[in-house]
Amino acid sequence: MKINQFAYIPTDHQTILQELKNTRFLDEHNLHIQDPRQLFRDLLVRLYSMHANLSTRLEKISGLLATPTENANTYTNKPGSVDKSAFYNVGLQLLGLLNDLDFSVNDPLKAMKQIGLPIMDAPEQLNHDQVIEAWYRLLNTRNKYGQLLIDHLAGKGYYQQFLDDPSFKKPLFFNGKAQAIFDTSRLIRETVYVESSLDTDHDGKRDLLKANIIRPAETNDGFKAPVIFTADPYSEGMNIKWAEKYAHDNKRPLKHKQPNNLTYTDVEYHYKKVGLPTPRTIKGKTTQAGETFTKLWSYSLNDYFLARGFAVVYSGGIGTRDSDGFRTTGTRAETLSATAIIEWLHGDRTAFTNRTDQIAIKAWWSSGSVGMTGRSYLGTLSTAVAFTGVDGLKTSIVEAGLSDYYDYYRENGLVVAPDGDDADALAEYTFSRQQSAADYAQIKDKWLAHLRQMKIDQDHDSGSFNSFWDARRTEKVNHTKADMLLVHGLNDWNVKTSQVWNSRNRLKTRPITQKLILHQGQHEYLNNFRSFDYTDIVNLWLSNKLFGVSNHVNENLPDVIVQDNAHAETWTAYPDWGGNESESITYPLNDLINLNENTIFPDQLPEDDYKAYSNDLKKWHHDLYSRDGSQMDSHCIRLFTKPLTEDLVIDGRPSISLRVATNQEFGMISVALVDYGKAKRLMETPQTIDSMRILQGYHWRKDDLKEFLPQKNETDFKRITQAHMNMQNRQNSYKVDELKAMTFYSLDFPFQPTVWRLLKGHQLGIVIYASDMKYTVHGNQDIYYTVDLKKSHLNIPKLK
């Protein structure tokens, strides 16, 4: 077990005193206790003050060992300084660690250093002030269950005893983070319909957008809540069965494309001004919503903040159930259907209590400060909305969000998407209006025509970039004013790392603060991990951005935090990603070890092998990279460096230059970088290590504790990153060049960006192949490829 903590803010003694007063651990009574042990005893009694009976509190304290021979009750019931080891023996137990399993009472400091827990920089004997500072730091230390001790106490009911006291601060902040003091049993749930500046279903009326609101009851008494908004196209339902018929079959041949001389100007999309229907007439005004709801999918991170004074809003957007409009998969219209919600929350747009009466309702309970959260499609909308510069949006927290839809479904002129997915299939999947029979009956014909046009415009057959995709380039406009927290998985092959790489580089041109977190998972949430204080980071971030708390998060939070792939539960701060902290290293391919001595390889597999691999992509993936011999040996080129004499950390975006010829007038090349060497590597999906252990508030939601754990068995290899290219798109994704058979061409293209540590003794591998059975079209065609290794090389950005 190792705990990494980035969200603690160093705090001066006077501020510590004030914050401990605010949380009622200190008052005029115990501040006058000069004896350190007596003060320590009083703090422990207060920690258990949710138990009204003093005898019960002392029983709890008696259950803690302070020394190998004395419990905490006995130890603190006599005067003197506090032995540092005794303090941390008690502290470790309060953090949920077990004696003789997680630590030893004979040497608690050793365990704390191994686990990564903070230790007070003080002599062995703590005086009065040092006990106070050590106590403050302990309350701000993560426990065995991935939670700050103060948050764990809040979940146990510590704050409840003070809530009726009018002098108790509400909202309350501790070390710059909002505290769980709001009554989640009284949350108000209501629904409104925001009028947008869109008419995407062309019915002559502005699209109404359903918004579901969860807000603290205290807003009815004058408290103005900042808002966490999640634009979630899945929240109103998904058309799983209906969408199946729109899937595209990637088991098809690659085709020769007609050459062209297109420039970006030829494919650039220009936003058009469209006449809009007049706004609805307001027939009345109210402060009382007319609709409520009882159940809604919710993001557990948002639930966490409901106990801390934030309101949460969910909206599916255009084309979702109970809203108007059509789904368009990534256009500006989808973005504007999300900005409309923010504009209403900020006081700049009209909403109605229902879809028919035209009774207007303001977000009178909102402070006007909005932050967005969400992963995947939800995170994409968080990015797109931020790029608009909409007023009221103070921050977006983007988890695995897109910056460019072309790079999600395509790569360098190739269709690169698992399961035959494409823009039209996703539009149908999220068009939950279809689930309302009467509503759908009125717009069915227009919707089906809309889908047919999308299918034509997305040009699934060629894979080339066109104006359809330029319109879906989220970063096309960049007026960002909101500070950004970007989060992405380095093993995410759904939303690949180029998406966050591009977003980050675009955001660097704006006068904002941005931070980046890279983890070793796939398409995962991070808010319930033991080794990393993601939830605390977000709390610190949102307390600053939405409540305006001066907690110095911009200065104290590292610009880049990366989870190490080679060492479990290890997270490291970096100044940048692929910036000045790295240098380039070049590997001529002809100098590398060629495992099977291949320079020519056929793409076509024997029919039995092709069918077997088609039904078992995991085996195909294994055999492609394996150096132990497989049916793929003659269908690729596998190259290796010599065993590394020291660790090599790839930092940024590798690239490759290949000289390739094919026997056809069309062709594709795929390349993977692979880490070779025996190791128990981290699993890419998090494992539950303690079910329902995390307390998100008093009598509120619970969450599982998870972690990326090492595999039980050693493996010989792990793909680091990969890249694909249509040989006819060797200049860019929209210009198609001629390809002559048996003629060598230079292909220069980048891999997906990464941060990856190869350990000393491992080998960096390069696997060159053609059809990717998981991502690209693969028709098992009679094509073979020749690679001139003497004129090919690999560039690696290496951490200095």
Side-chain angles (χ1 to χ4, degrees):
M1 175 178 22
K2 189 173 181 182
I3 293 175
N4 301 264
Q5 193 167 343
F6 294 92
Y8 177 75
I9 300 299
T11 307
D12 64 74
H13 188 73
Q14 288 304 312
T15 303
I16 287 173
L17 291 176
Q18 186 57 56
E19 291 192 11
L20 288 173
K21 288 179 183 179
N22 293 342
T23 54
R24 304 297 170 90
F25 278 104
L26 289 180
D27 58 23
E28 295 307 316
H29 170 72
N30 62 359
L31 276 173
H32 286 99
I33 299 175
Q34 292 302 311
D35 183 82
R37 285 204 198 187
Q38 292 302 305
L39 176 60
F40 187 28
R41 180 182 183 80
D42 190 84
L43 292 171
L44 288 171
V45 169
R46 290 171 186 246
L47 180 139
Y48 289 111
S49 58
M50 66 281 289
H51 305 292
N53 188 284
L54 179 59
S55 297
T56 302
R57 300 185 201 179
L58 294 178
E59 284 179 13
K60 298 292 183 183
I61 297 171
S62 296
L64 305 169
L65 270 180
T67 73
T69 59
E70 284 185 297
N71 67 48
N73 186 26
T74 303
Y75 178 81
T76 60
N77 203 23
K78 48 190 174 184
S81 59
V82 175
D83 185 85
K84 195 173 185 178
S85 293
F87 181 90
Y88 286 114
N89 272 330
V90 173
L92 285 168
Q93 292 163 82
L94 293 177
L95 295 173
L97 284 88
L98 302 177
N99 181 35
D100 292 334
L101 180 64
D102 301 313
F103 77 102
S104 169
V105 291
N106 293 308
D107 192 357
L109 301 185
K110 177 181 178 182
M112 293 189 71
K113 291 173 183 176
Q114 290 174 339
I115 297 170
L117 298 176
I119 302 171
M120 175 77 177
D121 184 14
E124 186 59 31
Q125 299 299 318
L126 305 181
N127 63 27
H128 173 275
D129 286 353
Q130 289 163 346
V131 167
I132 289 174
E133 294 194 7
W135 183 257
Y136 179 83
R137 191 66 179 92
L138 180 64
L139 291 172
N140 285 292
T141 297
R142 283 167 64 78
N143 66 13
K144 188 176 179 178
Y145 316 118
Q147 222 177 356
L148 294 178
L149 178 56
I150 190 69
D151 281 349
H152 182 74
L153 293 175
K156 292 289 189 179
Y158 171 76
Y159 286 126
Q160 299 307 302
Q161 60 194 307
F162 312 123
L163 297 186
D164 292 332
D165 181 347
S167 67
F168 187 69
K169 290 182 178 293
K170 199 172 187 179
L172 177 68
F173 300 91
F174 193 64
N175 196 240
K177 305 171 196 70
Q179 296 298 288
I181 61 173
F182 286 79
D183 187 352
T184 52
S185 69
R186 298 173 56 226
L187 289 169
I188 298 166
R189 292 171 171 82
E190 56 193 14
T191 300
V192 302
Y193 295 84
V194 177
E195 185 178 58
S196 70
S197 298
L198 299 164
D199 180 18
T200 55
D201 52 14
H202 309 293
D203 65 352
K205 294 180 289 186
R206 293 192 178 209
D207 294 341
L208 282 179
L209 305 169
K210 180 180 181 181
N212 290 313
I213 301 151
I214 311 173
R215 58 182 173 89
E218 289 82 354
T219 53
N220 281 347
D221 300 321
F223 170 63
K224 298 291 186 181
V227 185
I228 296 171
F229 169 43
T230 299
D232 182 3
Y234 307 115
S235 62
E236 297 293 337
M238 292 157 278
N239 297 340
I240 297 172
K241 290 295 183 182
W242 280 316
E244 287 177 355
K245 66 180 180 180
Y246 290 92
H248 299 264
D249 187 2
N250 280 345
K251 294 179 184 176
R252 56 188 174 87
L254 184 68
K255 298 176 182 177
H256 177 265
K257 293 194 277 191
Q258 185 63 37
N260 63 46
N261 289 305
L262 293 177
T263 65
Y264 175 67
T265 302
D266 297 316
V267 297
E268 183 179 9
Y269 179 84
H270 298 279
Y271 295 117
K272 303 168 187 174
K273 288 188 176 181
V274 179
L276 280 172
T278 57
R280 289 167 175 79
T281 301
I282 295 174
K283 297 181 179 179
K285 297 180 181 180
T286 185
T287 59
Q288 184 66 45
E291 185 179 336
T292 187
F293 61 95
T294 56
K295 189 171 180 60
L296 178 77
W297 174 91
S298 59
Y299 175 22
S300 60
L301 183 68
N302 290 355
D303 291 341
Y304 167 91
F305 283 104
L306 283 168
R308 288 160 172 78
F310 295 79
V312 172
V313 174
Y314 295 94
S315 180
I318 49 174
T320 58
R321 191 167 187 166
D322 298 330
S323 293
D324 297 329
F326 288 162
R327 298 305 300 167
T328 57
T329 307
T331 65
R332 184 174 176 82
E334 287 189 353
T335 302
L336 295 180
S337 78
T339 61
I341 307 299
I342 294 173
E343 288 167 339
W344 175 69
L345 292 167
H346 191 247
D348 306 326
R349 184 169 288 279
T350 299
F352 299 101
T353 57
N354 60 40
R355 295 179 51 82
T356 55
D357 292 343
Q358 295 174 216
I359 304 299
I361 183 169
K362 291 184 177 181
W364 50 268
W365 45 267
S366 166
S367 71
S369 293
V370 182
M372 292 191 73
T373 61
R375 181 192 67 179
S376 196
Y377 208 157
L378 293 60
T380 301
L381 287 163
S382 296
T383 303
V385 169
F387 279 137
T388 68
V390 61
D391 289 342
L393 183 69
K394 304 299 184 183
T395 185
S396 281
I397 299 172
V398 181
E399 299 181 78
L402 300 182
S403 59
D404 187 339
Y405 275 80
Y406 179 84
D407 285 343
Y408 180 69
Y409 290 112
R410 313 280 190 269
E411 186 176 350
N412 296 318
L414 278 175
V415 172
V416 179
D419 306 319
D421 194 11
D422 214 331
D424 59 340
L426 183 58
E428 172 59 27
Y429 187 80
T430 54
F431 184 62
S432 51
R433 278 189 78 180
Q434 192 164 341
Q435 298 178 24
S436 298
D439 182 27
Y440 183 55
Q442 299 178 64
I443 46 97
K444 179 178 179 179
D445 290 343
K446 283 196 289 185
W447 169 249
L448 294 177
H450 170 75
L451 274 185
R452 286 193 294 271
Q453 191 62 48
M454 281 189 72
K455 183 175 182 178
I456 293 168
D457 294 344
Q458 71 191 6
D459 192 11
H460 187 85
D461 284 341
S462 81
S464 291
F465 185 89
N466 59 22
S467 60
F468 176 91
W469 295 108
D470 194 51
R472 288 159 174 80
R473 193 159 54 85
T474 300
E475 59 181 11
K476 188 174 172 68
V477 296
N478 183 13
H479 307 298
T480 311
K481 296 184 294 186
D483 289 340
M484 304 290 285
L485 176 58
L486 308 178
V487 184
H488 215 98
L490 291 166
N491 287 292
D492 192 341
W493 294 99
N494 178 352
V495 178
K496 296 180 279 291
T497 52
S498 60
Q499 300 287 350
V500 69
W501 175 269
N502 293 336
S503 289
R504 178 170 166 77
N505 287 331
R506 283 284 279 152
L507 290 169
K508 284 182 176 180
T509 67
R510 300 295 299 167
I512 63 166
T513 297
Q514 64 156 312
K515 307 289 183 178
L516 173 67
I517 298 169
L518 297 171
H519 60 84
Q520 289 300 324
Q522 300 180 29
H523 209 53
E524 309 294 345
Y525 285 121
L526 280 188
N527 55 290
N528 52 359
F529 277 69
R530 180 177 64 192
S531 68
F532 182 53
D533 60 336
Y534 177 72
T535 301
D536 303 330
I537 288 171
V538 176
N539 191 341
L540 194 70
W541 186 261
L542 290 182
S543 293
N544 172 260
K545 308 306 174 188
L546 301 189
F547 270 115
V549 175
S550 181
N551 57 21
H552 309 291
V553 64
N554 289 358
E555 298 80 20
N556 283 278
L557 187 65
D559 287 341
V560 180
I561 302 173
V562 181
Q563 184 186 15
D564 196 294
N565 60 282
H567 303 101
E569 301 180 301
T570 301
W571 300 75
T572 305
Y574 289 92
D576 203 353
W577 181 27
N580 292 331
E581 80 285 358
S582 66
E583 60 187 3
S584 181
I585 181 171
T586 300
Y587 293 95
L589 298 195
N590 199 51
D591 292 349
L592 301 180
I593 301 165
N594 189 334
L595 181 64
N596 301 113
E597 298 298 328
N598 293 343
T599 57
I600 301 173
F601 62 92
D603 193 35
Q604 189 174 47
L605 292 161
E607 191 62 27
D608 288 346
D609 289 343
Y610 180 72
K611 288 180 180 178
Y613 284 141
S614 296
N615 294 323
D616 190 349
L617 292 177
K618 187 175 181 180
K619 179 172 174 53
W620 170 81
H621 182 274
H622 175 273
D623 288 358
L624 174 65
Y625 302 136
S626 175
R627 51 184 176 179
D628 294 333
S630 75
Q631 292 93 325
M632 291 298 298
D633 285 357
S634 62
H635 298 277
C636 64
I637 299 172
R638 299 193 191 99
L639 307 171
F640 304 88
T641 65
K642 293 178 181 179
L644 299 172
T645 57
E646 59 183 8
D647 286 6
L648 169 66
V649 179
I650 301 173
D651 173 38
R653 189 157 207 178
S655 62
I656 195 162
S657 178
L658 295 175
R659 190 77 173 160
V660 185
T662 178
N663 66 327
Q664 301 287 351
E665 294 182 342
F666 53 89
M668 71 171 95
I669 285 291
S670 299
V671 188
L673 295 186
V674 186
D675 177 357
Y676 285 97
K678 297 290 185 182
K680 293 181 180 179
R681 294 175 165 87
L682 290 182
M683 289 183 273
E684 298 171 356
T685 54
Q687 307 299 303
T688 299
I689 56 178
D690 213 332
S691 180
M692 295 290 106
R693 175 57 79 168
I694 300 173
L695 306 176
Q696 296 186 326
Y698 182 61
H699 289 176
W700 185 224
R701 307 285 173 81
K702 296 181 180 181
D703 205 356
D704 294 336
L705 183 65
K706 295 189 175 183
E707 193 58 65
F708 294 115
L709 298 177
Q711 299 165 333
K712 293 182 180 179
N713 300 315
E714 286 187 336
T715 55
D716 182 48
F717 58 83
K718 174 74 170 64
R719 177 187 60 193
I720 301 169
T721 183
Q722 64 182 18
H724 311 274
M725 172 173 273
N726 189 316
M727 292 179 67
Q728 287 193 262
N729 290 92
R730 52 190 177 270
Q731 293 190 56
N732 56 56
S733 56
Y734 46 83
K735 187 179 187 306
V736 178
D737 291 311
E738 189 59 83
L739 186 70
K740 296 180 180 179
M742 309 308 295
T743 301
F744 279 94
Y745 294 94
S746 294
L747 310 179
D748 298 282
F749 53 108
F751 292 88
Q752 295 297 320
T754 191
V755 179
W756 191 267
R757 181 183 301 277
L758 290 100
L759 293 173
K760 177 182 177 180
H762 283 214
Q763 293 170 273
L764 175 62
I766 305 168
V767 179
I768 304 169
Y769 59 110
S771 296
D772 190 306
M773 297 189 73
K774 186 172 177 62
Y775 289 102
T776 70
V777 296
H778 46 279
N780 206 35
Q781 295 161 272
D782 184 15
I783 314 174
Y784 67 83
Y785 297 85
T786 304
V787 181
D788 185 349
L789 296 177
K790 293 180 180 178
K791 296 182 180 179
S792 303
H793 62 269
L794 172 71
N795 288 311
I796 293 289
K798 169 191 172 184
L799 191 67
K800 293 178 183 177

